Each structure stands twice: as structure tokens, then as C-alpha cells.
Amino acid sequence: MSRTKEFQELRPLLFSIAYRILGSVSEAEDAVQETWLRFEAAPTELRSVKAFLSATVTRISIDVLRSARVRRETYAGPWLPEPLLADPYQDPERSAELADSLSMAALVLLERLSPLERAVFVLREVFGFGFPEVSSAVGRSEAACRQLAVRARRHMAAGRPRFRAGRKEREELASRFFDALREGDVAGLQNLLAADVSMVGDGGGKAPQLAKAVFGAQNVARLLASVFPQMALIGVTGEPVEVNGQPGAIFRDRDGKVLHTLALDILDGQIQTIRTVINPDKLGHVGPVADAWAINREVRQALRPPQ
């Protein structure tokens, strides 16, 4: 098998590792590309191509994450991962771990870990690598990796809910949510939201947003019911899709360009968190990006009473 073909077969795995370490589609793609360049320059004989590539993309991702952490500390408003519509890597034996680690909620939790803890957790707990492979990838002893894994599991377990809704329940609740959203039905929305629901928006200072953060069922329902019907007046539409494995939607302008994504975190039959990403820098991989500022001005103009 040619080196190019070997790499292409493992590319989905490499991207999935990098994305979970970085929370960024663009940075993960860059890490995978850099991995290819190093693979191309590597000695002809490798004991295990998968081990070499997995270790390489992990080391690159750790380095990128360390520098990204500094930028994220000064990020304008809440930072959210870049939305991912489909995970290219599938493994039936680890489907639960892959799905759980892909959610926005899990990726936000992973941000609390150190770069090394995050890499060890991703390799060991998500992808099932053995500690010898993890040790080689992160450049630490097996004993140190075991300690890193224990700390990472503890942090992740502390922030995770004990029970998540099944797929069918999530889809049914999401369908009712988007129906109420289109109708501007405050009561209908409020009935679907947990009392302590939060709505978080990531504009990065580069786009207008509903709000950086809104809390409470009544506040969130009123905001949603007031804004989305207004956007529909100027041709903005919502397309229900899975976002990071969760019920969500892509909102587009009248020309089909991407305005923002929305993801629902559902627990115990209620929506616990709504996360929207409108930062144009985080949407380019989804499709051509709309001018959010122009849409905001158009909405305001449409709502202005006639002279």
C-alpha cells in the first residue's frame, strides 16, 4: 500500500483526535496536514503507521492548544468550539465514547483540562489507546499518563450529568422546540426549557449576537420568541441538523449563506443549554458565511415603524 493511501485511510481518525484536543475544525485540519508532511519525511520503515500518525497528530495538537489557550484567555465573550456537523471517524465498538466526547458540553468541559490531561483523556478514554501508546504520544512515562488520566476522568465526571436523553426523545423535543421558535410561542418554548436553562452565544466580537449569556426559562423563551420571528421576516431560515451529535440547526440568510449554528443540550426531558456560534471565523467550514452585521441592520430597519 502506498504511503498516500495509508494516510488517507487513517485521516478520519487523525482529524477526530485533533478536533477533540483542539475544539477547532480549522486547527484540527491544519494539524492533520502537518502530520502528513512529517509522515512524508519519515523513514521508509515504520513499525506501526497508525501509532506514528496518532502520536504525531497528538503532539502537534498539544503544541497548538498551548498557544491557543493564551488567545482564548483574551477572547471577546464566551468561547465555544467550532461546530462540527459530522464526525468523519466511526468505530462501532466505541460509538458511545465517540458520541459523548463530540458534544459541545463535553468539549467545553475538556477546556478545563491541561493540554496533557486533555490529550491523555482523548487517546485513552475516547479512542481506547493503550498506555504504552499514550505514553509515546505525549512524551511522558506510563505512570505519569495513568495519573493524568485519573485527574482528567475526575474533572470530566464532576461536570457531566448523570442521565442524558435518548436519541428519539431528543429529536422529538427538538422538533417541538423549533416549531415553537418559528411561531414565536413564548409559553411553548418555556415549557421545553429547564428552569435554570442557559443560552450562550459565541460571536468573538466579530458579529452581533443575541446575548453573551442569558439564564432562566422565562428570559430565554422571551428572547428567542422575540428575535427569531423577526429574522424570518427578512428571509432567515433554520435548517434542523445535528451539531456535534446534538439536535441543532444551521440558520441561513435569504441567499443560503450561513448566519449561525445552534445546538441543544437536552437532559431529563428538558433543554438545559442552548449554544449558538455566530463568529464568522468559526463557520467557514460549514459553508459561505453571511454578513451578520448587515442582517442585524436589516432586521432593525424592518421593525422600524413607517414614517
Side-chain angles (χ1 to χ4, degrees):
M1 185 185 298
S2 71
R3 186 160 283 201
T4 300
K5 189 172 182 181
E6 285 182 303
F7 183 82
Q8 290 302 327
E9 286 190 355
L10 289 166
R11 190 182 188 102
L13 169 64
L14 304 179
F15 173 84
S16 293
I17 291 172
Y19 177 73
R20 285 165 173 82
I21 294 175
L22 294 166
S24 165
V25 172
S26 56
E27 289 174 349
E29 289 174 342
D30 288 345
V32 172
Q33 183 60 30
E34 177 62 25
T35 299
W36 160 249
L37 295 176
R38 296 189 189 185
F39 181 45
E40 203 175 23
T44 305
E45 294 298 325
L46 293 169
R47 183 177 301 176
S48 168
V49 171
K50 179 181 177 182
F52 175 85
L53 292 175
S54 299
T56 302
V57 81
T58 297
R59 294 189 200 109
I60 292 169
S61 297
I62 290 172
D63 290 341
V64 173
L65 182 59
R66 284 175 173 147
S67 60
R69 281 286 175 86
V70 177
R71 296 192 302 274
R72 291 174 191 178
E73 287 175 0
T74 58
Y75 192 79
W79 180 93
L80 292 176
E82 290 184 11
L84 185 66
L85 303 187
D87 188 354
Y89 179 72
Q90 301 294 325
D91 180 351
E93 294 184 1
R94 303 197 66 80
S95 58
E97 292 86 351
L98 289 167
D100 187 50
S101 62
L102 188 66
S103 71
M104 283 273 183
L107 290 168
V108 169
L109 277 177
L110 283 168
E111 281 292 303
R112 301 179 185 179
L113 307 183
S114 71
L116 280 177
E117 287 173 343
R118 185 166 182 168
V120 169
F121 182 87
V122 167
L123 291 177
R124 176 64 183 172
E125 303 300 321
V126 178
F127 292 94
F129 283 81
F131 278 111
E133 296 167 297
V134 175
S135 171
S136 174
V138 303
R140 297 292 187 274
S141 68
E142 287 187 41
C145 288
R146 290 179 190 277
Q147 292 178 338
L148 288 165
V150 168
R151 288 203 300 269
R153 283 196 299 267
R154 188 186 307 126
H155 287 307
M156 294 297 287
R160 278 177 170 162
R162 287 171 291 181
F163 173 75
R164 286 195 176 276
R167 185 182 186 89
K168 183 177 180 181
E169 182 184 356
R170 285 185 292 142
E171 290 175 350
E172 289 176 350
L173 196 150
S175 177
R176 290 162 55 200
F177 171 83
F178 288 116
D179 285 344
L181 189 64
R182 281 189 294 269
E183 296 167 6
D185 181 357
V186 175
L189 287 167
Q190 193 168 337
N191 287 337
L192 301 173
L193 304 175
D196 59 348
V197 65
S198 61
M199 182 171 177
V200 182
D202 178 346
K206 298 185 177 184
Q209 55 194 87
L210 301 180
K212 291 181 179 179
V214 182
F215 302 95
Q218 188 175 69
N219 293 332
V220 171
R222 285 178 174 173
L223 178 63
L224 291 170
S226 66
V227 172
F228 283 90
Q230 294 172 5
M231 292 167 62
L233 292 174
I234 62 165
V236 173
T237 58
E239 173 194 355
V241 296
E242 280 199 348
V243 178
N244 288 75
Q246 302 168 282
I250 301 173
F251 286 83
R252 303 178 187 273
D253 68 7
R254 63 169 64 90
D255 298 320
K257 293 182 178 179
V258 178
L259 176 59
H260 68 86
T261 61
L262 180 151
L264 304 175
D265 193 12
I266 297 172
L267 174 69
D268 293 335
Q270 292 181 309
I271 297 169
Q272 303 289 328
T273 311
I274 302 170
R275 296 181 176 90
T276 64
V277 176
I278 195 170
N279 183 342
D281 293 347
K282 295 187 175 186
L283 297 172
H285 62 282
V286 180
V289 180
D291 184 342
W293 293 110
I295 289 173
N296 185 56
R297 289 192 296 270
E298 193 173 349
V299 168
R300 292 177 180 276
Q301 182 66 34
L303 294 175
R304 190 173 298 167
Q307 299 296 325

